[in-house]
Structures are given as structure tokens and as C-alpha cells.
Amino acid sequence: MEYNYGNLIKIERMRRNMKQSVLARGVCSISYLSKIENNQTTPSEEVLEMIFKRLEIDVPLYYDFSEQVEKVKYEIQGLLKEAILSRKDWDRQKEVEKYLLNPVVNQSKELYVTLLLALARFEMMPGREGKYFKEIGWIEDQLDRDDLLRYGLMRCLKLFNENEKEEGLELLEQLNEQLATSGISDWEVADMSYIMGGLYYRCADYLQAVENVKVGLEYFQDHFYLERIVECHLIIGLAHKRRKRFTEALSYYQRAVKVISATDLKNYNGMLYNNMGEVYSSLGDQEKALEYFMRSFEYKQEVKSKLFSVLSLIEGYTNYDNSTEILNWLEKGYELKGDKEGLEEFDHHFEIYKNCYQEQDKIKLIGTLKKAVQYFELYDDYVYIEKYALWLARELRENGKYKLATEYYEKVIAIRSQAD
């Protein structure tokens, strides 16, 4: 078996923020250490022992682990697959992390990369640290084509989360072209396609969003991964809704309802009912829309999620010009929000309706609409950019500011043409 200690040495050194010159001192030259770390040479056992001792890591040097490599790789990938497809990831992540101390992993470059990629994939879940993703970046030049695709998708997600959408979209396009001809297993292609569909949705490329998510949906349906099926129906429904294909959107939401009704996945009902309410509102059935918005509010538990239902109810009652109910839900919204952090966007939403229906101050309304458009442009939130830009354009036109109104109408047209 060919031992590959280079990745292990490089990563352990960088974890300790240790320079090559410090690690190499009294052991070997810096250039020789660099070759070891890049797997360009096989060092002697004596050199390895001194390096390991300085790094304070204990890895057996003489035992042949070749027969165990495939077994361990199968175990790691199996745990990852179960976690990703079943959404039961916390416990599985802890199980996978135990392999960091496995001597088999530490003597196989392929296995070590497999482990890092698996741990980095867990970090794509919300609220996780990104230390393993960072470590893969240190050895990016040593990844094979399939592993580069896996790492590329993680990079893409990171770029989108940092609002670097232009660079993220360029990378996403490359991944979209290459994934179909990769050697990546079907289950992982399904998961990656689902994620890519979600990213295309964030770019307002709804056609690509639907196409990619459908790849995942086909696999999840064939293998009865019910939660993933619901997630796919939701995103496809959202994409159709944004393209004004309301009948198609409603059909996917109804499919999700059917799956949920046969399971314990009731936590999706809040989001699902809110989106169904928006579709019914767009179809002109305001009574049914309000019914679903209310059901959504009752199902939801998390504050931010409930606030979106409050906002939908406020918007719903504007269709009836029902000031009493608008102000009633506006008060509930402010009460729910309180002084909690991370909910700044609702300041913009609520101030608009406050100035329109409570203060009834057109000048303040125009000012808050401008601020809202600027705020949502920072986050490329096309839904609210379009909504508030259109509202603002109409207010400006009524105030005789036709040139400025035209600028905001043009924003709306640009967004709608992109969606088509």
C-alpha cells in the first residue's frame, strides 16, 4: 500500500498555525517538507517519526491497513448518505468525526480526503462551523475531478451566503455543466442537484431551479425519502409561483400536503400554507388566501417564520382595504418582533404599512419605500424589490415625480423579464 502522509502533515501543521520552517527545523529542509506535504516524495520512517513527534500526533507507521481502507470508506459514506437523505445529521456527524482518530484514515490520502469532504458536507447545515471546509482548501490542488465538484458546490454555497452572487453563479454554471458526466453516486447527485436548484432559485433563474430540483425529486421518490420529496415540491412550487404559473405551483404544494398528511412532517405545514395563501391571493381568491395565512400563523413556532405569516396577513387585508385588521396584525407583528436581533427586515415591512394605514403620511411612506427597496437590493431579494419598487413608482407618479417613478418601474420590468 502507498502511504500518503502529506495531507495529514500539512493540515495538522496549519491547524497549529505552524510555519514550515518551524516544523522542518532539525528534521529536514523546508523544500523537502514541502514535497512531503504535496505527496511528491515518500519520506523515510525516521523523518516521519520526528515530524509526527513535533506535531504531537500518533500514527502507526508499519502496519498495512490496505484491506481496511475500502471498509472504512464505505462506513463513512454510508453514515453521510443516511444523514443527508434522512435529515438526521447531528448524531451522524459525531459518529463520522470519530474517524479522525482512526489510524486507517490517517494513512490513506483517498480516505482522509473522503473524511474531510464528508465532515465539510455536514458543515453546510445551518449553524455549523466551517473548519473542515477550510482544511480542504489547503489541499484543493490534490483533489480529483469528482472531489473538486463536491468542494466546488461547498464554495458556491459559501459565496452565496456571503452575498458574492456573481462569482457564485459563475461557479454554479460550471458545476451544472460537469455534474452529469461525473462519477459521483446517484444519491449524491440527487442531493447536489437539489442544492443547486435552490441556488438557482436565489438567482431568480426559476427554470434552472425547477430542472435541477426535479433531478433530486426523481431519486427521492424512487427511494421513498419523504422529507426530501416535500422539500422538492416546495421549491418547485415556489419557482412556478415566481414565474406566475400559479396552477402548477398549487399542484406541487398539494402534492406536498398529500405526503405530509401521511407522515409526521407537520413542521412543513406553516411554510406550505403560507405559500398556498399567496397563490390563492394571486388567483384572486382573497378569502381562501386569508384562511391559509391564518392556518400558517397557527402552525408556526419560530418567531421569524411567524412574522412572515403576520406580514402575509397584513398584505392579505390590504386587498380588502381593511384598516382595522391591518393595524391589528401590525400591532401583533411589532409585539412578536420586540427587540429581537436578526429581524431588521421586518422594520422595513412594518414601517411601510404603519405610514400608509396608521400615520397616513404620504411623504413618510415614500421615504420608507425607498429605504426598503435599497435594503432588499443589498440582499438581492427580488420579491420585495419588485413589490416595493412598484408601490413606490405609483406613489411617485401620483406626486408628479414622473422621471423618478420611471426609474422604479424599470426595476420592476427588469426583475419580471429575468423571471420569464
Side-chain angles (χ1 to χ4, degrees), residues 262-279:
T263 67
D264 59 353
L265 300 173
K266 310 302 181 188
N267 56 306
Y268 285 93
N269 276 331
M271 184 192 307
L272 185 60
Y273 288 151
N274 202 82
N275 281 290
M276 292 178 76
E278 289 180 0
V279 170

Side-chain angles (χ1 to χ4, degrees), residues 154-272:
M154 297 177 203
R155 283 179 52 217
C156 196
L157 263 173
K158 191 171 188 295
L159 287 167
F160 273 86
N161 290 337
E162 294 173 350
N163 213 34
E164 299 288 341
K165 290 189 177 179
E166 187 174 339
E167 187 178 349
L169 180 58
E170 184 178 340
L171 180 55
L172 182 60
E173 293 287 278
Q174 294 173 16
L175 293 169
N176 199 37
E177 291 176 4
Q178 298 171 22
L179 187 59
T181 58
S182 72
I184 295 173
S185 59
D186 289 347
W187 76 266
E188 202 171 356
V189 168
D191 179 59
M192 292 174 72
S193 297
Y194 167 82
I195 294 170
M196 289 164 63
L199 293 177
Y200 273 118
Y201 177 84
R202 289 172 65 175
C203 294
D205 189 341
Y206 303 125
L207 283 172
Q208 282 288 2
V210 169
E211 290 304 310
N212 277 272
V213 174
K214 279 185 174 180
V215 172
L217 177 60
E218 182 178 0
Y219 179 90
F220 301 144
Q221 286 179 325
D222 287 345
H223 296 82
F224 303 102
Y225 289 105
L226 300 182
E227 187 165 1
R228 303 306 303 271
I229 293 171
V230 171
E231 292 172 350
C232 288
H233 286 326
L234 275 167
I235 291 184
I236 294 173
L238 283 167
H240 282 308
K241 184 179 71 173
R242 296 295 176 236
R243 297 186 67 229
K244 316 297 183 186
R245 273 57 172 181
F246 300 119
T247 302
E248 291 95 328
L250 198 56
S251 71
Y252 276 95
Y253 292 148
Q254 288 168 342
R255 292 176 204 180
V257 168
K258 187 175 181 180
V259 174
I260 289 170
S261 65
T263 67
D264 59 353
L265 300 173
K266 310 302 181 188
N267 56 306
Y268 285 93
N269 276 331
M271 184 192 307
L272 185 60

Side-chain angles (χ1 to χ4, degrees), residues 356-369:
C356 184
Y357 289 93
Q358 184 172 314
E359 302 289 337
Q360 297 184 9
D361 188 322
K362 290 290 185 179
I363 302 301
K364 284 186 178 180
L365 176 60
I366 289 173
T368 50
L369 283 167

